[in-house]
Amino acid sequence: MHTNKLILNRYAKFNHNYLQSFLYMSKGMKGNVTVQKQLIFHALNFNRDLSCNKILTIEKRAFEPLPFLQFLNLRGNLIAEISYGTFVAWHGMQFLQKIVLSRNPLSAIADKAFLQLPTLKYLDLGATQVTEQIFHTLLIVSLHLETL
């Protein structure tokens, strides 16, 4: 299977796997795990379902290869922190409207983690360990949010 071909579809489902991290790997790396990760990122689609995996971390600029991403489902993973830069990309994530982070042990979110998402309207943080102070900060900083 060639990893440099684009997968053209509207929805890529990678849920209920054993993915442990979400990062962009270069095309030159070898091995099944790397190929699996490359396939996640070298897909041109609008929706990404990575729910019910074992993702612990999301690297900075991890979504850079997905300029048209509209919906991201990370429900039911092991993500404890969202840092600034996670949702930063050269293209500005102009289309991302919905992020689901529910059912993660999430307890820390950088104040500006979602600041540069101009179309983010829905953010699901249900069944997380996010504090009231973090919710308050998100409401102030994320001006376009309609549902939190």
Side-chain angles (χ1 to χ4, degrees):
M1 179 179 298
H2 298 285
T3 59
N4 57 356
K5 291 185 178 179
L6 292 177
I7 301 169
L8 299 172
N9 61 12
R10 294 192 60 76
Y11 201 87
K13 293 181 77 173
F14 296 96
N15 57 327
H16 296 283
N17 287 295
Y18 292 98
L19 299 175
Q20 294 181 353
S21 64
F22 200 68
L23 52 102
Y24 179 67
M25 306 293 266
S26 68
K27 291 181 185 179
M29 295 187 174
K30 304 284 184 196
N32 290 338
V33 174
T34 302
V35 169
Q36 185 179 24
K37 289 178 184 174
Q38 284 180 346
L39 286 174
I40 292 170
F41 287 103
H42 290 98
L44 178 61
N45 57 36
F46 306 105
N47 302 296
R48 189 59 45 98
D49 186 350
L50 291 161
S51 62
C52 302
N53 282 290
K54 296 180 187 241
I55 297 172
L56 295 166
T57 60
I58 304 172
E59 300 293 323
K60 289 184 178 182
R61 299 187 179 271
F63 303 101
E64 200 138 284
L66 300 168
F68 302 108
L69 185 63
Q70 294 175 358
F71 170 68
L72 178 62
N73 186 356
L74 291 163
R75 181 185 60 83
N77 281 286
L78 301 172
I79 301 166
E81 178 182 2
I82 300 292
S83 60
Y84 177 72
T86 300
F87 298 103
V88 173
W90 64 268
H91 47 74
M93 306 288 295
Q94 297 293 313
F95 301 99
L96 188 57
Q97 297 174 19
K98 185 175 182 179
I99 300 174
V100 177
L101 288 164
S102 61
R103 302 200 178 275
N104 278 286
L106 188 60
S107 60
I109 300 176
D111 290 349
K112 298 180 181 178
F114 303 106
L115 180 66
Q116 297 182 358
L117 298 175
T119 58
L120 184 65
K121 294 182 182 354
Y122 179 91
L123 179 60
D124 184 351
L125 297 172
T128 63
Q129 299 170 11
V130 173
T131 65
E132 187 176 321
Q133 178 61 39
I134 292 173
F135 277 112
H136 180 71
T137 303
L138 286 173
L139 287 172
I140 292 170
V141 174
S142 304
L143 300 175
H144 301 289
L145 273 180
E146 294 175 3
T147 306
L148 176 61

